[in-house]
């Protein structure tokens, strides 16, 4: 399986690093990157081939479009002349597969992916959607590539990508925000900054791991910590009185609405 990446940014590096950790032969990877310094860094770190010439990825089985959404249309124009039977994987946020297909002269072997930043430590989650022109073998190849950086979820309806963007794509920022708030609360209650940071980080990490590994649903796990008349109950009551759950729902809706708007704007 020969893989060509267009763009050598953080997400490309995360995927290549994940593949390397899974014993994938990185000499079968070519990264198209215009920045000479980045090409040197990529070659040194991952033992991949690098180039600034699109023709160098012509013989790839899979081409991963790992550029910013605003750059994708121009990149597609450059990729179109080298297309044959390759699978195209796009990780550009917001750009719908129908628009990618249109920019690639109506090419149909396209998988759209929404990864998230924990992919950088192979702890991410990626949602995938395939056009009808994608073969089963190509779906399996896409799964193999994204499994290297975490869990994968195939969608049967591309419109769900806006919800995915709001929950898992933007979600890490919500978690960081809450960690930041809990850390500041600790400092306000008299802890040293490094003490508050360690406690907040480990609490989020441990609770997330417990939830992921437990067969008990999240609501029950929360109830198990919330003893009647105890300290946690008072904290939860304060959160409920502040309507925090509804605020989180509004945040997710705002992100999903923005995802749809970006898709509309970038398609023009």
């Amino acid at each position: 399986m020969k893989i060509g990446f267009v763009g050598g940014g953080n997400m490309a590096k995360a995927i290549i690093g994940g593949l390397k950790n899974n014993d994938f032969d990185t000499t079968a990877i070519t990264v198209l990157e215009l920045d000479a310094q980045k090409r040197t860094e990529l070659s040194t770190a991952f033992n991949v081939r690098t180039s600034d010439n699109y023709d160098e990825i012509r013989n790839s089985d899979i081409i991963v479009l790992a550029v910013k959404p605003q750059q994708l249309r121009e990149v597609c124009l450059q990729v179109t002349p080298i297309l044959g039977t390759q699978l195209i994987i796009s990780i550009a946020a917001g750009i719908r597969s129908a628009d990618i297909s249109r920019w690639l002269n109506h090419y149909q072997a396209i998988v759209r992916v929404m990864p998230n930043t924990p992919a950088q430590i192979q702890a991410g989650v990626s949602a995938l959607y395939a056009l009808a022109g994608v073969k089963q073998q190509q779906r399996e190849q896409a799964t193999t590539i994204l499994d290297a950086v975490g869990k994968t979820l195939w969608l049967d309806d591309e419109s769900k990508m806006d919800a995915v963007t709001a929950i898992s794509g933007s979600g890490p920022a919500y978690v960081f925000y809450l960690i930041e708030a809990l850390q500041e609360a600790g400092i306000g209650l008299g802890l040293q900054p490094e003490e508050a940071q360690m406690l907040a980080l480990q609490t989020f990490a441990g609770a997330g791991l417990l939830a992921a590994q437990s067969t008990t649903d999240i609501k029950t796990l929360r109830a198990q910590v919330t003893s009647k008349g105890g300290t946690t109950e008072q904290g939860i009551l304060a959160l409920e009185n502040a309507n925090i759950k509804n605020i989180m729902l509004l945040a997710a809706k705002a992100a999903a609405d923005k995802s749809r708007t970006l898709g509309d704007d970038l398609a023009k």
Side-chain angles (χ1 to χ4, degrees), residues 165-167 170-179 248 251-252 255:
T165 300
I167 301 304
S170 300
Y174 312 153
V175 174
F176 299 148
Y177 188 88
L178 292 172
I179 292 172
M248 292 300 296

Side-chain angles (χ1 to χ4, degrees), residues 122-125 150-151 203-222 224:
Q122 287 81 62
V125 59
K151 295 185 179 296
T203 297
F204 267 82
L209 190 60
L210 175 60
Q213 294 183 357
S214 177
T215 57
T216 305
D217 65 88
I218 302 298
K219 187 174 183 179
T220 301
L221 284 174
R222 175 173 63 80
Q224 289 173 352

Side-chain angles (χ1 to χ4, degrees), residues 8-260:
N10 288 335
M11 195 55 68
K13 288 190 286 188
I15 295 171
I16 295 168
L19 289 168
K20 183 178 181 180
N21 289 343
N22 283 359
D23 296 323
F24 185 85
D25 180 7
T26 55
T27 62
I29 296 175
T30 301
V31 183
L32 182 68
E33 172 57 57
L34 300 182
D35 187 304
Q37 183 176 342
K38 286 184 179 180
R39 291 200 301 272
T40 300
E41 292 171 354
L42 287 160
S43 179
T44 301
F46 303 110
N47 194 30
V48 295
R49 297 177 64 234
T50 61
S51 177
D52 60 357
N53 186 342
Y54 278 86
D55 202 56
E56 292 295 320
I57 60 171
R58 180 186 295 273
N59 294 324
S60 300
D61 301 301
I62 300 160
I63 297 175
V64 181
L65 305 180
V67 297
K68 294 179 180 179
Q70 295 82 358
Q71 300 172 314
L72 189 58
R73 182 172 186 172
E74 179 58 33
V75 164
C76 286
L77 295 177
Q78 298 295 326
V79 169
T80 299
I82 65 170
L83 285 179
T85 60
Q86 304 97 326
L87 171 65
I88 298 293
I89 297 178
S90 170
I91 61 173
I95 309 291
R96 298 174 188 125
S97 53
D99 295 311
I100 299 170
S101 175
R102 176 163 54 88
W103 296 338
L104 292 173
N105 197 25
H106 304 291
Y107 197 73
Q108 290 295 303
I110 297 170
V111 169
R112 178 185 169 191
V113 181
M114 182 69 232
N116 65 356
T117 55
Q120 295 175 30
I121 57 167
Q122 287 81 62
V125 59
S126 302
L128 301 87
Y129 174 79
L131 288 182
V134 177
K135 300 175 182 178
Q136 180 59 35
Q137 180 187 12
Q138 292 174 320
R139 289 174 68 99
E140 292 169 1
Q141 289 173 328
T143 299
T144 296
I145 291 172
L146 275 304
D147 273 349
V149 291
K151 295 185 179 296
T152 52
L153 172 68
W154 280 94
L155 302 178
D156 57 2
D157 182 348
E158 189 175 7
S159 67
K160 293 179 180 179
M161 276 292 187
D162 295 318
V164 170
T165 300
I167 301 304
S168 63
S170 300
Y174 312 153
V175 174
F176 299 148
Y177 188 88
L178 292 172
I179 292 172
E180 182 183 359
L182 194 60
Q183 181 178 333
E184 290 178 3
I187 294 170
L189 291 169
L191 293 171
Q192 292 297 315
E194 62 274 13
E195 294 171 335
Q197 182 182 47
M198 189 274 276
L199 290 170
L201 285 172
Q202 191 56 39
T203 297
F204 267 82
L209 190 60
L210 175 60
Q213 294 183 357
S214 177
T215 57
T216 305
D217 65 88
I218 302 298
K219 187 174 183 179
T220 301
L221 284 174
R222 175 173 63 80
Q224 289 173 352
V225 185
T226 314
S227 302
K228 189 167 182 62
T231 59
T232 307
E233 183 183 55
Q234 289 304 303
I236 291 293
L237 284 173
L239 292 173
E240 289 184 345
N241 289 336
N243 210 13
I244 295 301
K245 187 175 287 187
N246 189 57
I247 290 171
M248 292 300 296
L249 292 172
L250 290 173
K253 184 179 183 302
D257 290 345
K258 183 64 174 179
S259 177
R260 278 189 289 272

